[in-house]
Amino acid sequence: MPVSCTHLDQIAVTQIPRQVAGCEECLKIGGAWVHLRLCLSCGKVGCCDSSPNRHASRHAADTGHPIIRSLEPGEDWCWCFVDDEAFVVDFG
């Protein structure tokens, strides 16, 4: 199925970090997270919507950065908040 996301041109991060300490905001406040997401516009690591603080969604809303990627092992999906669409981007 072709990707219909209209924000692919806003992907600036094309490398997945080898190591991540956790959700950047949760680490600052001593919070907990369930899964981690990577902003593909700026590289900020936030927690998923199943986490208490939903930092990845909050970051997208605050900054207008539309696309995140899962940082979970074995997952390669992305999500565009604006187009409400999941898809895969191959970072090679």
Side-chain angles (χ1 to χ4, degrees):
M1 174 181 255
V3 176
S4 62
C5 171
T6 59
H7 301 90
L8 297 177
D9 63 333
Q10 295 186 40
I11 294 175
V13 177
T14 58
Q15 295 283 326
I16 303 304
R18 291 190 187 271
Q19 293 185 343
V20 174
C23 170
E24 295 174 21
E25 296 303 316
C26 285
L27 288 169
K28 289 178 188 175
I29 64 171
W33 58 87
V34 177
H35 300 292
L36 298 175
R37 308 293 184 238
L38 175 69
C39 174
L40 293 185
S41 292
C42 70
K44 184 172 185 77
V45 175
C47 54
C48 69
D49 285 354
S50 296
S51 300
N53 294 300
R54 303 176 53 176
H55 285 121
S57 293
R58 188 173 302 166
H59 173 74
D62 291 348
T63 63
H65 295 170
I67 301 173
I68 58 168
R69 184 187 190 280
S70 175
L71 282 180
E72 294 305 304
E75 295 183 358
D76 60 359
W77 59 266
C78 300
W79 178 260
C80 179
F81 289 103
V82 178
D83 291 323
D84 199 31
E85 179 182 8
F87 54 91
V88 174
V89 173
D90 182 12
F91 291 145

